[in-house]
């Protein structure tokens, strides 16, 4: 058996090997995270491209489907996540406003459609 203590140079070489091994493992882990994130972003971008465009005009319905509550623009924040809304065409939106369905006070579809009374 060798009772000789390792030299400082041997210890420095050993320390270097340990650091290189740990750094290589850390870089490999980071590369895997980068690959996962790139894949997630690619899937998200593909889903965004496949999503149909939002409707230009929206009618908000009451608790009874036949009761129309308000007409909105398609990007109105007040109906963004509402399940009681349906997309409608420009002519349907104008017709609803003419039939006294209230216009949203936030997005003002009556002004956008030129149906201001």
């Amino acid at each position: 058996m060798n009772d000789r203590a390792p030299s400082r140079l041997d210890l420095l070489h050993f320390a270097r090997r340990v650091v290189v091994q740990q750094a290589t493992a850390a870089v490999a882990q980071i590369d895997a995270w980068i690959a996962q994130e790139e894949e997630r972003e690619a899937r998200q971008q593909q889903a965004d491209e496949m999503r149909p465009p939002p409707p230009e005009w929206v009618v908000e319905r009451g608790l009874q489907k036949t009761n129309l509550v308000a007409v909105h623009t398609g990007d109105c924040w007040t109906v963004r996540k509402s399940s009681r809304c349906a997309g409608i065409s420009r002519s349907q939106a104008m017709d609803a406003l003419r039939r006294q369905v209230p216009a949203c006070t936030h997005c003002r579809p009556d002004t956008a459609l030129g149906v201001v009374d």
Side-chain angles (χ1 to χ4, degrees):
M1 210 171 195
N2 189 0
D3 291 331
R4 182 177 77 98
S7 71
R8 286 180 54 138
L9 184 59
D10 290 338
L11 292 174
L12 288 171
H13 280 296
F14 173 75
R16 184 183 187 286
R17 285 193 307 273
V18 169
V19 169
V20 167
Q21 180 184 16
Q22 290 176 348
T24 302
V27 168
Q29 179 66 55
I30 291 171
D31 287 343
W33 291 337
I34 289 171
Q36 288 173 351
E37 188 62 21
E38 286 173 342
E39 183 178 327
R40 188 195 67 76
E41 285 185 3
R43 283 194 313 266
Q44 182 64 41
Q45 183 178 0
Q46 184 180 21
D48 290 345
E49 290 170 356
M50 292 175 62
R51 183 174 294 122
E56 200 171 343
W57 309 102
V58 176
V59 66
E60 181 180 0
R61 300 184 188 280
L63 294 177
Q64 296 176 348
K65 298 270 187 197
T66 57
N67 184 21
L68 301 181
V69 175
V71 177
H72 300 269
T73 60
D75 58 352
C76 182
W77 64 271
T78 61
V79 294
R80 194 162 289 144
K81 296 197 183 221
S82 176
S83 62
R84 297 186 314 173
C85 295
I88 57 175
S89 68
R90 179 182 179 88
S91 63
Q92 289 172 321
M94 291 178 74
D95 184 51
L97 291 170
R98 286 188 191 112
R99 288 186 291 128
Q100 304 303 315
V101 175
C104 173
T105 58
H106 300 284
C107 63
R108 302 304 306 174
D110 51 350
T111 305
L113 288 167
V115 184
V116 180
D117 291 335

